[in-house]
Amino acid sequence: MVLPMSHGAGQRPPALGLLALLVTVPGVVVSLAGLHPSPPLAAVAFGVAIVGAAFVLAWAAEAAQVDISAGLAVAVLALIAVLPEYAVDFVFTARGGEAVAAYGPSCLAPGEETSSCSLALANMTGANRILVGVGWALVVLIAWRRLRGRGEPSATATRVTLGRPDAVPLAFLALASLYCLVLPFKRTLSLADTVVLLAIFVAYSWRVSRAPAGEPDLIGPSAWVGGLPRRPRRLTVVAMFVVAAAVILLTAERFAESLVETGAQLGISEFLLVQWLAPLASEAPELLVAGLYAWRLHTSEALGALVSSKVNQWTLLVGTLPIVFAASSGGWSGLPIEAAQREELLLTAAQSLLAVALLVGRTLTVRSALLLLGLFVAQFALSAAVPSSWRGRELVVLSVVYLVLAAATLIRNRRLVVPLFRDGLVTPYRQLGADMCCTTTAGKLRLRERVTISSSR
């Protein structure tokens, strides 16, 4: 997570940092000792360890901004925040490759009800949809609630506005979303897809690396680390990365195993556990920190970081799955996309396109946030309502709704599309201007730096 923070809390002992490290201990001990508690208990222990490690990664990433440029921080450090998601997804992908190598193209090992290839894609699509349907909406709705608590204007007028530099991740997210719309019509996620998606990610990383350096704004454990002298600071940041990575490596595979075993033991669909519970565990730090900064009305930083994380997940994560699959299967056939996963991929790509369309003007209103959240919740309501013989068709219907809304939004805001791509892909950062915006409340115009809540009566 890349969220600029304030140095105010830097003098306090990093109690939260110690707590995050402590909660990783049970999962690490169980893994190293080779213990085998009941699957639900193991899932909790390993899941909590991953959450703790993700917080440590987030704080290390934030503190690292003291030593690297702000633009590079957005690309690299947002990537670090989603490493737990990568680890869990890579476990299922590697197992799918091993199953194909041992048992043939079905990707289904003996005794399994759901193939590991299907679980790998389920984990990826679930994480992407949570990030947009819950994360993006969360930032705006929390900010609206805070303004309402202060006696500010009504909900329908509140909006979160991003700066012109945020056009960069939005433009690359639009490119990735358009390409990923092709994936549901393919039989495999291939190395050709890897080339395209990694090219988008590399171009995005190069583009944001050209951004000028900025003064990081840190609080809590990241501020304590960032306030250390140069050598101790860098050693501490490296140590935090190493420890968190070690925790993730020790627990990710066991977490995936325990989720599948929990589903079998409790009669819960392992597909649902892997698609929703595992991403919630790995995305929890990102969503919690974004919510915290929305509560403090640092909304542009919160939403901008979530957009950057979405770019990473939709390009690098999806693009590296075929590489992991090829390495584990010993072949070049590509990660199989089963029929059910085509519908999931279609829905995920359609949601991404609508999200980009809603932000084409670099603003996200409460109504837009409620739309994203409502459509996200609707998939569960529809799944529960349709008969089993129709299962999956509701995802196609919902995908069409997303696409129609995206098209209508883009047509209505068509004059903003070209400027967004021009700013995102071509305009030099020095011409994008400082991250300043206007906040309007009760008809009074106030200029605030780095605070981007707009509302009017």
Side-chain angles (χ1 to χ4, degrees):
M1 167 74 68
V2 187
L3 288 177
M5 300 183 176
S6 65
H7 288 283
Q11 303 303 318
R12 294 200 299 264
L16 287 177
L18 295 176
L19 178 61
L21 289 172
L22 285 174
V23 300
T24 67
V25 172
V28 171
V29 170
V30 170
S31 180
L32 289 176
L35 303 177
H36 295 278
S38 65
L41 185 60
V44 171
F46 296 130
V48 169
I50 289 175
V51 169
F55 270 112
V56 174
L57 280 176
W59 290 322
E62 290 162 0
Q65 294 180 71
V66 176
D67 297 301
I68 66 176
S69 73
L72 186 59
V74 171
V76 177
L77 305 184
L79 165 63
I80 290 171
V82 295
L83 282 180
E85 178 62 38
Y86 282 56
V88 174
D89 219 343
F90 286 175
V91 168
F92 288 115
T93 303
R95 288 189 172 187
E98 293 166 359
V100 167
Y103 308 111
S106 68
C107 206
L108 192 67
E112 290 183 345
E113 295 183 1
T114 306
S115 73
S116 294
C117 297
S118 180
L119 293 178
L121 292 174
N123 188 254
M124 180 271 292
T125 54
N128 273 277
R129 298 215 293 272
I130 287 173
L131 193 62
V132 173
V134 176
W136 291 24
L138 186 72
V139 169
V140 183
L141 296 178
I142 289 178
W144 162 74
R145 181 65 184 85
R146 284 285 286 150
L147 286 176
R148 221 182 139 189
R150 291 178 170 188
E152 297 278 352
S154 65
T156 55
T158 304
R159 66 189 63 219
V160 172
T161 303
L162 298 174
R164 282 186 71 191
D166 290 305
V168 174
L170 283 173
F172 282 97
L173 178 56
L175 294 177
S177 298
L178 286 171
Y179 180 79
C180 287
L181 197 60
V182 177
L183 299 182
F185 304 97
K186 302 184 63 177
R187 292 186 178 275
T188 63
L189 187 62
S190 67
L191 292 174
D193 301 315
T194 294
V195 171
V196 174
L197 292 172
L198 291 191
I200 294 174
F201 176 77
V202 170
Y204 166 65
S205 300
W206 179 85
R207 173 79 165 125
V208 298
S209 71
R210 315 304 295 172
E215 181 68 23
D217 200 12
L218 312 171
I219 81 169
S222 59
W224 181 81
V225 175
L228 295 173
R230 180 191 298 180
R231 185 176 178 82
R233 178 181 66 244
R234 292 180 175 178
L235 289 175
T236 302
V237 167
V238 171
M240 292 171 73
F241 282 141
V242 170
V243 170
V247 171
I248 291 168
L249 288 174
L250 286 170
T251 58
E253 184 172 5
R254 295 288 302 274
F255 179 55
E257 290 176 349
S258 60
L259 278 180
V260 173
E261 293 171 0
T262 298
Q265 188 178 96
L266 301 180
I268 302 173
S269 168
E270 63 186 34
F271 182 89
L272 292 178
L273 287 175
V274 169
Q275 186 172 38
W276 302 117
L277 183 59
L280 273 177
S282 56
E283 301 280 2
E286 201 162 14
L287 298 179
L288 288 173
V289 177
L292 171 64
Y293 276 83
W295 185 259
R296 295 179 178 180
L297 298 184
H298 290 288
T299 51
S300 66
E301 293 89 344
L303 184 57
L306 292 180
V307 172
S308 297
S309 293
K310 172 65 177 176
V311 175
N312 285 321
Q313 287 193 359
W314 210 211
T315 56
L316 190 60
L317 175 57
V318 181
T320 50
L321 292 183
I323 298 176
V324 175
F325 182 81
S328 57
S329 66
W332 307 98
S333 58
L335 178 66
I337 302 176
E338 300 173 6
Q341 287 310 306
R342 293 192 185 99
E343 296 154 359
E344 298 284 351
L345 283 169
L346 177 62
L347 181 59
T348 307
Q351 184 205 49
S352 296
L353 285 174
L354 176 59
V356 171
L358 292 174
L359 268 176
V360 71
R362 293 184 287 105
T363 63
L364 193 64
T365 66
V366 168
R367 287 176 178 171
S368 297
L370 289 173
L371 177 63
L372 288 174
L373 182 60
L375 290 173
F376 176 80
V377 174
Q379 63 186 304
F380 301 104
L382 288 174
S383 296
V386 300
S388 57
S389 59
W390 284 66
R391 193 59 49 84
R393 296 182 187 180
E394 79 281 0
L395 300 184
V396 176
V397 172
L398 195 56
S399 299
V400 172
V401 172
Y402 272 115
L403 293 173
V404 169
L405 290 173
T409 303
L410 288 173
I411 291 172
R412 186 176 67 243
N413 299 316
R414 57 188 177 276
R415 294 182 180 178
L416 302 175
V417 174
V418 172
L420 175 71
F421 278 98
R422 183 175 60 243
D423 285 349
L425 304 177
V426 178
T427 306
Y429 265 99
R430 65 179 180 274
Q431 295 180 20
L432 294 180
D435 190 9
M436 305 281 287
C437 71
C438 295
T439 298
T440 308
T441 304
K444 298 180 180 179
L445 188 64
R446 298 177 293 174
L447 191 62
R448 293 182 181 174
E449 183 177 5
R450 304 184 68 79
V451 177
T452 55
I453 292 286
S454 294
S455 55
S456 59
R457 290 192 186 275

